[in-house]
Every structure is written in C-alpha cells, then in structure tokens.
Amino acid sequence: MMTRRKWLLFTLLVVGVSQGVTADLEEINDSPEGKTSFHSPNTEEEEVPTGARMVVEQTHFPREEVSQDSEGGGEGSSEEPSLLDVTGTEDLPTEPVDAEEKQKALQRVVGGTADGEPCFFPYLFLGKEFTVCTTEGRGDGRLWCSTTYDYDRDKKWGFCETEDQAKLRRQAQEAEDLYQTAIKIINGTSKTSQKKEGYSILMKAAEMGHTKAMEKVAYAMLFGDYMTQNTHQARELFEKLLIEGSPKAQTGLGFLHAVGLGVNSSQAKALVYYTFGALGGNLIAHMILGYRYWGGIGVPQSCESALTHYRLVANHVASDISLTGGSVVQRIRLLDEVENPGVASGMLEEDLIQYYQFLAEKGDVQAQVGLGQLHLHGGRGVEQNHERAFEYFNQAANAGNTHAMAFLGKMYSEGSDSLPQNNETAMQYFKKAADLGNPVGQSGLGMAYLYGRGVPVNYDMALKYFQKAAEQGWVDGQLQLGTMYYNGIGVKRDYKQALKYFNLASQAGHILAFYNLAQMHATGTGVMRSCHTAVELFKNVCERGHWSERMMTAYSHYKEGEADLAVVQYLLLAEQGYEVAQSNVAFILDQAGEAKLFSENETFPRALLHWNRAAAQGYTVARIKLGDYHFYGYGTDVDYETAVIHYRLASEQQHNAQAMFNLGYMHEKGLGIKQDIHLAKRFYDMAAEASPDAQVPVFLALCKLGLVYSLQYLQEMNVSVRNAQELMSQIDLDQLLGPEWDLYLMTIIALLLGTVIAYRQRQHQGVPRPAAPQRPQGEQREPEQ
C-alpha cells in the first residue's frame, strides 16, 4: 500500500508533467506549423462582410482557435478553468512574436545550393538587404532567397517556389497586367472602337482565369456591351465563377433563372442565387431582394425585410452622392413615345444642342449657363463633362452672371479630375454671387461656414446663409437647414423643422433629402414610424445608383433597332424594381416580332407578368393593359370578370378615361358584369368628362346606345318585331324622302361629326394669348426623377 508521503510525491510529479505538456501545446499552437490548418486572413473574400465565403450548397466559415472553456469544446472540456490551466499560464508567459516573421524564417527553399533549408530574412545580396523573396539576379523571373545572411559570401540559396508555382504566378501576373490595361482603355475613352479593343484585351485576361475579367466579360456578353451578345457563354462563365464564390456570378445566375434566359425559369433557384449574392455583398442582389420582399414576389411579403435590404443599398448610394444632388436619371417610357409622339421625352435633339452651342459661342449668357449645368450633371442625352461645364460657367461668370459664379464655386469646392479642389477660390466665387443675392452662392457660403472650408467654422453664419437660400427656394439651403435642425447644430434640435425642410428639398428631387426622410420614417424620429413610407423613400434613393445609367443604354439600343439588347438590360432593371423598365419590357414583348430572345408563345405571358408588376407600382396604363390582356385572352385565358376588375381599379384610383369607356362598353354588352344600359351611359359620360380626347368615341358610342335603348323601349311597349317589320314594309322611303334619301342621311351625319370636331378645336384654341418668351436652357423643366 502506498504511504501518504509517496502519494504526495506522485501527485507533484503528475502536476509537473502536466505543466510541461501544457507548455508544449501552447508552443505548438503559437507556431506557424500549429496554425496551418486555421483560416488565413489572406483567403478571406473582400466582398463578404461577415467573414464567411458563401458558395451555393457550401459555406466555408473562418476557423477560430478552440479554447478549453469554449462551448462544445469536446470531451474533457470544463466550464471553469482548472488549476493546471491557471498555473501553466502564470508560470509560462509567452512573448508575442510577429507571425509574418515566423513564416519568413521557416520558409523552406527548393533546389539551389541549400535545398530544404529555411530562408533567412533579411539577407544581403549585391550589397542590398532583402526582407522577402526576390527575382533580382535571375532572367527567368523565379523567386529565390538566401539561407544565410550574406549570400555574396556564402552562396547558399534556393527557390521559394516550384517551377509549376512560378509558372502559375507569372501567368496570374500577366493576366493582371492585361486586366489593368483593358480597364484603363475602357474607362479612358468614349469611342466605341476603343472600348471594343479594351474588351477584347479583357477577354484574353478572362481566358487566363482572371476573376474580375471573367466577371466583366460575362456581363458584357449578357448585355451585348461592346461584345456580341451570347447568353449561353455568359452563363458558362457565371458557373465557373460560382466555384470561386463570386457574388457577381451568383447574382448573374439568379437573374438568368429569374427571367428564364438560357435556362428554365425557376424563381426558387433565382432566390437562392440572389440570397448568396447579397450575402457576398452584391448591392444589385440586395436591391432585387428588397423589391421581392416589398412586393411579395416569390417570397412572403415582408416590409421589414425589404427595409433591411433597401437601407443597406441606400447607405452606399447616399455616401457616393455629392451635395449637387446626384446625376439625373432619364426615365423614358417607350409606350408614351409611341402613343404621344408630340410629347417631349426629356431628351435633347442633337441639332437643338448645336443651336445652344452656337448661341453660347455668340455670347448668350443664358445658353452658357444652361450648357454648363447640362455638362455638370449630365442627362437629357448629354454626357457629364466637367471640363466643358467649367468653360461655359467661366464665360458666363466673366459676363457677370451670378449663377455661373456660384456654380464655379461649387465646382472648386467639390473638386474633380479636371479641376483641383480649392476652398479659397470657391469662397471668392460664393462671396461674389451671395453679395448679389444669388441663392446658390448663399448656400455655398453656408456650407463653407458649416464645415470650415476656407473659413473658421461659424454655425450662426451658416444658419444665416442657409435661411437666405431656403427663402428663395434653393434646394441645398433647404437640405442643410434640415440637417442643422435634425442634428441640433447651431440651433436647438427640432425634428419638426427638420422634417419640413427635408420635405421641401425632396420636392425638388434631392436624393439626400429622400434619404434623410427615409431614415426618419424608418426609426420613427420626429414622425410616426412607417415601414411602408421608409421603404418607398429608400427605394427612390436606390434607383438613383450608378446602375440606373443602364436605363439610357437600353433606350439607345432600342432606338438603334437592337431590341434584344434593350430587353435584357430592361429585364435586369425590372428585377431591381424600376417600374419604367418593367413597362418598357412589357411594351417591347407586346410588339410582335421585335424581341427574338423568346419564342412567340412566350412573349404575351412574359409581357403580362411585367404589366402586372408595373401596375402594382401605380402605372395606370399598365393596369388598363392587364384588363385588355384578360379581355382578349393575350397570354392568359379570356376572363371578362378579371378585365372588369382591372378597368374598375384604373377608373376609381386614377380616373382614367379609357378605363371608364371600357367599363361602359362592358356594361352595354353584359360582358363579365350584368348588362345595364343606364350604367353604360353613365360611364361613357364620365369618360367624356375625364378627357377631351374621349368625346368623339363617346358621341358615337352614345348614338349606338340610343338606338339599342330605342329597340328595348319598343320591346317593352309590347310592339312585336313582326308588327314592326310589317310597318316598315308599308313605308316606302323612296316615296317619303326621295330616291336619294340615303345620301341625304350620310351628309347629315357627316355635318354633325364635322360640327363636333370644329367645336372641340375651338375648345382647344380658346382665346388667343401672346406667345410666351422662350425660356433659357438653364431653366428647362427637369425630366421625371
């Protein structure tokens, strides 16, 4: 039997051995070899904010070191640290060692004169110290290092990579060089031929496996951007990129499955791909999911989920917006152009732009200011060009125009690639314009005092100038006043005042005003919390992102007769929730034979889907189109009752004359609703009151309705058809009215119709008014935001 003394000695021995084992384990865990199985920061995907690399059907999370007191640590784990753990930690303090230095010291060389030995950093070569492997001194570009400090003396060296690894590295570097060259060409020109050259170089980089090049080429093939459109090859590239977990590829595949391009349409697969794309940080995927949750498309409707996605995208969009309010988004409806060819689309014709340029060259100040604003913001068919904007503003400012002075101040204050930022020069222009009462200059001075740009920060002066600008209706002054009241800068915090000024600025279409209002409604700050209102405002902000430029690209393709290219671009925008894009897709598919991407039996069902989505966002014409599709059975079965529902919605909610006329006709015929001549006449009359264009059709419809009513009246008076026929046979119209009575009747009807037309023309002309003076270009009405 073991004595008490022997037992104590045995216990101490066990403790000592345990401490030694614990120390050895800690050294192993701290060494590079001990950490090789853990996730390296260099492998983390930059686009994944959660630190997880998402791939469809696979999820790779960064590993973490497992401590003994971690939950689920395995057998033998304990919730409380044991005495051995505490003792071992206290007795064996470890000094932190740079992991990178350890990795360098233990990097083993291949071949050379010291095969298998570790690199020694730093090492001396030709009198110069190196802290990393180098290619200097070699003509084949392979990396090598010295295994002693002084290579010149010891000549001990080896390769840092195998020959295959060196080949792969050189290939990757060559692909990167090609990619950078291509991007420089594409971004540095506006000429189509040069952009095509850039994309051909990009294609070479993609063939060498460059990820970013593959992403750009895939989307270029999908949309036909300076490359031949090929949805099949685009899908293949997306699937290759999917293996690497590319969020852009996941979003692209989601789009293809959503619209059924090159694959069978599957909303379930689309949702999966969109979700992983969003988890990877793709903003377009977030925007698509926001719209789907908002409208309940393929997912349960959830305002809060939509708010989460839209807010994330809106934060990025708002952070990229300058205080000028962002670029103008052109939203041109193809249907409106066809049905109302005389209505301006917001685009400026080339000859009109040349006319204004001619006026500007002749010294017309208003033309100079207008062209300066067009080139500063872009839009209406004019590309953004800060150099041209500066030239026009400078000419007008030299002529004494205060608006031009103020805009020069804004350009100097914000700076650009063509104009260096300069607060002092900006202050000079703002001061000149403000002293002459210009609201843009006053707002610019307010910004200078608010943020201390060229002058010391002075909130009282900032408030003074913002109030002056806001009183004249200038949007920047209103926005900044709202910001000061919201944050309590220089004034007592007042959310009601902030709400007032943000609302005023939003009426002028300032994107930051929409963003601030959305934040207030999302959080219930100063107003009752409203998720629905917040989502609508955030959606408005998101639709002003840089991807909205594709709207004009699609329009240009359609005008050039490339309907397939236009359809695909409009389809992506429609997926993102752009109502105009949805109606344009439906319109193109509605035109027989224009889009060749889909078979003939697919066009009407797809058009019906997009008319439905556009109608859900309040587009009246889309609602009427839905009624027409169900009435005639386009893309669906004939369903008069559903047609009546859509016509009634358009009539009651938007007071549309066409919908009222259609309801009158359906009441007259008893289609999908009980036949009622009295209600038919009521709807016809309402249509005539709602729109002057409906008066002639209503007049003819009422004439026909009167005849029908007369026949019904005769039937109600128990006058049989036979008696009526006998009565008519006894009457000789040639004897009663003359041999040419039918000609007389046609003449009377034509005169009545001419009288109605002349009466309508008099109504349109009214009293002659003097012609209004032509408005300068700078004051033209802004296109629809």
Side-chain angles (χ1 to χ4, degrees):
M1 181 178 290
M2 187 178 292
T3 63
R4 183 179 182 86
R5 183 175 179 183
K6 288 181 179 179
W7 177 258
L8 283 172
L9 289 173
F10 177 75
T11 303
L12 290 173
L13 179 63
V14 171
V15 171
V17 171
S18 300
Q19 289 178 350
V21 171
T22 303
D24 291 341
L25 288 173
E26 288 177 356
E27 287 181 5
I28 291 172
N29 288 335
D30 285 342
S31 69
E33 289 89 344
K35 294 185 178 180
T36 51
S37 64
F38 296 125
H39 182 76
S40 169
N42 294 329
T43 65
E44 292 182 2
E45 287 291 331
E46 189 175 347
E47 290 183 291
V48 182
T50 59
R53 182 185 177 192
M54 295 296 180
V55 184
V56 175
E57 299 180 353
Q58 296 181 14
T59 308
H60 302 288
F61 291 94
R63 302 184 186 178
E64 296 177 355
E65 292 185 13
V66 181
S67 59
Q68 281 193 340
D69 59 346
S70 64
E71 188 175 351
E75 293 184 5
S77 64
S78 175
E79 293 183 1
E80 294 181 3
S82 65
L83 178 63
L84 291 178
D85 294 331
V86 175
T87 306
T89 304
E90 290 178 352
D91 291 346
L92 297 170
T94 56
E95 199 171 272
V97 180
D98 193 318
E100 186 179 352
E101 292 299 323
K102 281 188 175 184
Q103 183 64 32
K104 288 179 182 177
L106 293 172
Q107 185 170 359
R108 305 283 176 175
V109 300
V110 179
T113 59
D115 184 33
E117 295 184 17
C119 289
F120 189 96
F121 297 108
Y123 59 89
L124 198 66
F125 173 61
L126 298 179
K128 180 181 176 183
E129 276 194 350
F130 290 85
T131 58
V132 293
C133 296
T134 183
T135 59
E136 288 194 24
R138 295 196 61 83
D140 57 4
R142 288 188 68 178
L143 292 169
W144 68 276
C145 70
S146 174
T147 57
T148 62
Y149 174 71
D150 194 340
Y151 168 81
D152 298 326
R153 181 191 63 201
D154 303 327
K155 305 296 182 183
K156 301 284 286 182
W157 67 281
F159 292 111
C160 298
E161 57 190 356
T162 64
E163 191 171 345
D164 290 339
Q165 290 173 334
K167 184 178 179 181
L168 290 173
R169 180 180 56 79
R170 288 194 295 268
Q171 185 177 349
Q173 184 59 50
E174 184 182 351
E176 177 64 21
D177 293 341
L178 285 172
Y179 174 77
Q180 294 298 336
T181 302
I183 293 301
K184 188 176 180 181
I185 293 173
I186 293 169
N187 294 337
T189 182
S190 58
K191 294 182 179 179
T192 303
S193 59
Q194 292 180 354
K195 284 186 178 290
K196 286 184 176 180
E197 180 189 350
Y199 272 96
S200 65
I201 298 174
L202 206 60
M203 184 68 182
K204 294 178 182 177
E207 290 171 352
M208 296 173 70
H210 193 282
T211 302
K212 291 184 178 179
M214 290 171 68
E215 290 173 345
K216 287 190 174 293
V217 167
Y219 276 100
M221 286 181 171
L222 178 62
F223 297 124
D225 289 341
Y226 308 105
M227 298 184 77
T228 304
Q229 188 178 39
N230 191 324
T231 55
H232 179 72
Q233 286 190 20
R235 178 173 62 84
E236 289 181 347
L237 282 173
F238 284 143
E239 289 174 347
K240 288 180 182 178
L241 288 164
L242 191 67
I243 300 171
E244 301 179 16
S246 166
K248 289 183 179 180
Q250 290 162 341
T251 304
L253 281 172
F255 169 66
L256 292 178
H257 282 88
V259 301
L261 269 178
V263 293
N264 292 327
S265 179
S266 171
Q267 298 304 318
K269 287 185 178 180
L271 182 62
V272 171
Y273 285 123
Y274 283 147
T275 302
F276 280 105
L279 288 172
N282 188 273
L283 296 179
I284 290 179
H286 274 293
M287 193 171 171
I288 291 172
L289 287 176
Y291 172 66
R292 286 185 167 237
Y293 278 108
W294 183 59
I297 300 172
V299 292
Q301 193 169 19
S302 171
C303 183
E304 294 299 332
S305 297
L307 179 62
T308 300
H309 289 289
Y310 272 129
R311 177 186 274 171
L312 189 147
V313 181
N315 289 340
H316 285 270
V317 174
S319 65
D320 292 336
I321 295 298
S322 67
L323 295 171
T324 57
S327 59
V328 176
V329 179
Q330 299 289 142
R331 305 191 185 194
I332 301 173
R333 297 186 191 277
L334 301 178
L335 180 62
D336 289 351
E337 280 199 335
V338 172
E339 295 190 348
N340 304 297
V343 178
S345 64
M347 299 289 290
L348 290 177
E349 299 292 339
E350 183 63 29
D351 55 352
L352 186 58
I353 295 174
Q354 291 178 0
Y355 171 69
Y356 282 120
Q357 289 173 343
F358 172 76
L359 290 178
E361 290 171 2
K362 293 295 182 181
D364 189 301
V365 175
Q366 294 298 335
Q368 291 167 349
V369 174
L371 287 172
Q373 289 177 317
L374 274 176
H375 285 94
L376 177 63
H377 301 292
R380 304 189 70 177
V382 179
E383 290 187 3
Q384 195 174 42
N385 189 325
H386 284 180
E387 290 183 12
R388 297 292 300 276
F390 178 79
E391 291 174 5
Y392 285 121
F393 284 141
N394 198 38
Q395 293 173 12
N398 292 335
N401 185 276
T402 57
H403 253 70
M405 296 176 190
F407 276 104
L408 281 175
K410 288 174 75 70
M411 292 187 72
Y412 274 111
S413 178
E414 295 178 2
S416 65
D417 293 337
S418 58
L419 190 68
Q421 198 267 351
N422 191 315
N423 287 327
E424 288 71 20
T425 307
M427 275 294 297
Q428 292 174 10
Y429 281 113
F430 283 144
K431 190 75 169 60
K432 286 181 183 178
D435 289 344
L436 295 171
N438 184 276
V440 186
Q442 291 166 346
S443 177
L445 277 182
M447 293 294 295
Y449 282 112
L450 180 64
Y451 295 106
R453 297 175 180 172
V455 291
V457 173
N458 189 326
Y459 295 139
D460 292 335
M461 292 294 289
L463 183 67
K464 169 187 170 183
Y465 282 112
F466 285 145
Q467 286 174 336
K468 286 184 176 181
E471 287 170 2
Q472 297 188 61
W474 183 242
V475 61
D476 283 353
Q478 296 164 344
L479 177 71
Q480 296 305 323
L481 270 181
T483 303
M484 293 185 76
Y485 279 111
Y486 182 86
N487 295 314
I489 301 174
V491 292
K492 185 179 178 181
R493 180 169 292 178
D494 189 335
Y495 292 130
K496 288 185 178 179
Q497 285 290 98
L499 186 67
K500 167 189 169 183
Y501 286 112
F502 287 150
N503 275 321
L504 287 172
S506 69
Q507 291 171 14
H510 202 299
I511 187 171
L512 294 180
F514 287 123
Y515 177 77
N516 292 335
L517 284 173
Q519 292 285 23
M520 293 183 75
H521 282 91
T523 57
T525 305
V527 291
M528 288 290 292
R529 187 180 186 275
S530 172
C531 177
H532 184 78
T533 304
V535 166
E536 288 189 337
L537 289 166
F538 276 133
K539 182 175 182 289
N540 194 316
V541 175
C542 294
E543 290 181 358
R544 296 282 290 275
H546 61 83
W547 39 80
S548 63
E549 297 170 3
R550 197 164 287 282
M551 190 81 75
M552 284 310 301
T553 307
Y555 176 77
S556 300
H557 282 311
Y558 182 75
K559 283 299 182 181
E560 292 167 3
E562 298 173 326
D564 285 346
L565 301 185
V567 164
V568 176
Q569 302 198 40
Y570 278 135
L571 277 170
L572 180 59
L573 293 167
E575 280 288 294
Q576 292 175 251
Y578 287 84
E579 178 267 307
V580 173
Q582 292 166 349
S583 62
N584 286 351
V585 167
F587 171 78
I588 296 174
L589 294 176
D590 198 31
Q591 310 302 304
E594 280 206 345
K596 304 291 191 297
L597 282 173
F598 306 109
S599 59
E600 289 185 8
N601 60 344
E602 287 185 275
T603 53
F604 280 131
R606 289 175 180 275
L608 179 65
L609 171 68
H610 286 92
W611 284 130
N612 193 36
R613 291 183 181 179
Q617 297 200 59
Y619 184 37
T620 311
V621 176
R623 182 67 65 187
I624 295 171
K625 283 286 186 181
L626 286 176
D628 293 344
Y629 272 49
H630 285 92
F631 185 90
Y632 294 108
Y634 294 156
T636 183
D637 296 331
V638 173
D639 189 342
Y640 294 133
E641 293 181 359
T642 304
V644 168
I645 291 171
H646 288 297
Y647 290 144
R648 183 168 286 139
L649 284 172
S651 171
E652 293 175 355
Q653 296 177 1
Q654 285 96 18
H655 305 287
N656 184 271
Q658 180 69 55
M660 294 172 184
F661 185 90
N662 292 351
L663 282 173
Y665 178 81
M666 298 186 81
H667 273 293
E668 178 188 338
K669 296 294 184 181
L671 300 174
I673 200 168
K674 183 180 179 182
Q675 187 176 23
D676 191 326
I677 293 179
H678 299 286
L679 277 176
K681 183 179 184 305
R682 179 184 173 190
F683 277 109
Y684 284 142
D685 290 337
M686 289 169 60
E689 292 173 3
S691 172
D693 294 334
Q695 290 180 356
V696 171
V698 166
F699 171 76
L700 297 175
L702 287 175
C703 289
K704 185 183 70 172
L705 193 63
L707 179 60
V708 173
Y709 180 75
S710 300
L711 291 174
Q712 285 188 352
Y713 180 74
L714 289 173
Q715 290 176 355
E716 289 174 1
M717 294 296 292
N718 295 322
V719 178
S720 65
V721 176
R722 182 178 300 174
N723 292 338
Q725 288 177 347
E726 290 177 359
L727 182 63
M728 291 296 295
S729 65
Q730 293 174 3
I731 298 174
D732 188 354
L733 292 176
D734 289 339
Q735 238 180 2
L736 185 65
L737 300 176
E740 298 179 350
W741 64 270
D742 52 345
L743 293 177
Y744 300 148
L745 182 60
M746 291 174 62
T747 304
I748 292 171
I749 292 174
L751 288 172
L752 287 173
L753 187 59
T755 304
V756 172
I757 294 173
Y759 175 72
R760 284 192 60 218
Q761 287 179 344
R762 282 189 69 184
Q763 275 190 325
H764 281 301
Q765 290 174 357
V767 181
R769 299 179 181 176
Q774 186 177 6
R775 297 173 68 182
Q777 171 63 23
E779 298 177 6
Q780 291 291 323
R781 181 181 177 184
E782 289 292 328
E784 180 186 356
Q785 300 294 319

